Amino acid sequence: KNEVEQSPQNLTAQEGEFITINCSYSVGISALHWLQQHPGGGIVSLFMLSSGKKKHGRLIATINIQEKHSSLHITASHPRDSAVYICAVANTDKLIFGTGTRLQVFP
Amino acid sequence: KAGVTQTPRYLIKTRGQQVTLSCSPISGHRSVSWYQQTPGQGLQFLFEYFSETQRNKGNFPGRFSGRQFSNSRSEMNVSTLELGDSALYLCASRPGVGNQPQHFGDGTRLSIL
């Protein structure tokens, strides 16, 4: 069993829909990261959180430390949100990555 | 401020050769981490350097090595290349260690023939 599990693996949505991507982990962590990877490979760090909730524009990330679970929400999704979203946990100061969620948003 | 720069962007090698990849971190960042991304294994941590010292290492064979220079630029080296080393190699920098966001480069895509 992977130490970091993401669901779903693939997600398609119509523009404007509310999106939720989930991440569960089984190891102790000091922080959880949400990353976005576009075709071509470049990775952008969206959030780093160790408790509670963070919001940036249309993106919201939450974490429940007791349940070892985090969610990434995208409100009013747009085709430019199409990317792979990766959850990563910091364990002994090393990042352990989930397998990613491929999101496609259609106009 | 310039971002993390990785060179080269693409590289083709044959089995048995060795390769050196370069990473220039964001100015002022002293920590550089390297990652391997493959379709089968996803993203995996290779190693991290801070102030010219390797402070963390992932579960990779000794053919994978790295170093960091006094200006924080880092190189990783893979010797005796195998077909399975074909991957996207990403580096990321952050100001120091501990819980800080990482800033990723665009990666070097290495293909082994």
Side-chain angles (χ1 to χ4, degrees):
Chain A
K1 192 179 190 298
N2 292 334
E3 294 167 306
V4 181
E5 299 272 4
Q6 279 186 244
S7 64
Q9 281 191 299
N10 295 284
L11 190 51
T12 57
Q14 288 295 125
E15 184 173 356
E17 284 186 6
F18 181 84
I19 305 287
T20 296
I21 300 170
N22 295 299
C23 175
S24 296
Y25 54 92
S26 57
V27 296
I29 71 168
S30 56
L32 184 143
H33 300 251
W34 281 103
L35 310 170
Q36 179 192 58
Q37 186 172 33
H38 281 282
I43 290 179
V44 173
S45 177
L46 298 175
F47 295 103
M48 183 191 70
L49 63 167
S50 52
S51 66
K53 176 179 171 177
K54 286 191 176 180
K55 184 175 190 291
H56 185 251
R58 296 180 294 105
L59 302 179
I60 303 166
T62 64
I63 187 169
N64 185 317
I65 296 294
Q66 287 73 32
E67 294 186 4
K68 295 191 172 183
H69 180 270
S70 176
S71 293
L72 176 68
H73 306 285
I74 305 175
T75 61
S77 59
H78 190 277
R80 64 174 174 269
D81 297 327
S82 297
V84 176
Y85 293 83
I86 302 167
C87 168
V89 300
N91 173 264
T92 61
D93 214 20
K94 292 186 281 191
L95 288 184
I96 305 172
F97 298 87
T99 52
T101 295
R102 184 175 301 275
L103 171 65
Q104 288 185 290
V105 182
F106 294 99
Chain B
K1 214 179 203 184
V4 177
T5 304
Q6 289 188 246
T7 55
R9 288 296 314 278
Y10 303 93
L11 205 46
I12 299 174
K13 291 285 187 180
T14 56
R15 279 181 299 173
Q17 287 186 310
Q18 75 163 18
V19 67
T20 299
L21 312 181
S22 178
C23 174
S24 293
I26 290 173
S27 177
H29 286 193
R30 295 166 62 198
S31 165
V32 174
S33 296
W34 287 91
Y35 302 93
Q36 182 197 63
Q37 186 176 35
T38 61
Q41 299 296 319
L43 270 161
Q44 294 182 282
F45 170 76
L46 278 158
F47 28 66
E48 181 189 13
Y49 286 87
F50 177 76
S51 292
E52 301 178 66
T53 301
Q54 186 183 89
R55 66 180 297 270
N56 241 326
K57 190 176 190 310
N59 190 25
F60 279 82
R63 299 186 297 107
F64 291 81
S65 63
R67 59 178 174 167
Q68 187 180 34
F69 301 94
S70 58
N71 62 357
S72 295
R73 189 177 72 85
S74 178
E75 289 180 346
M76 69 163 279
N77 185 276
V78 188
S79 62
T80 319
L81 286 165
E82 301 176 0
L83 291 177
D85 298 332
S86 294
L88 179 67
Y89 291 88
L90 291 151
C91 86
S93 75
R94 51 183 174 164
V97 297
N99 287 334
Q100 297 177 334
Q102 301 209 6
H103 301 261
F104 287 81
D106 289 334
T108 293
R109 190 165 294 281
L110 174 63
S111 298
I112 311 301
L113 304 179

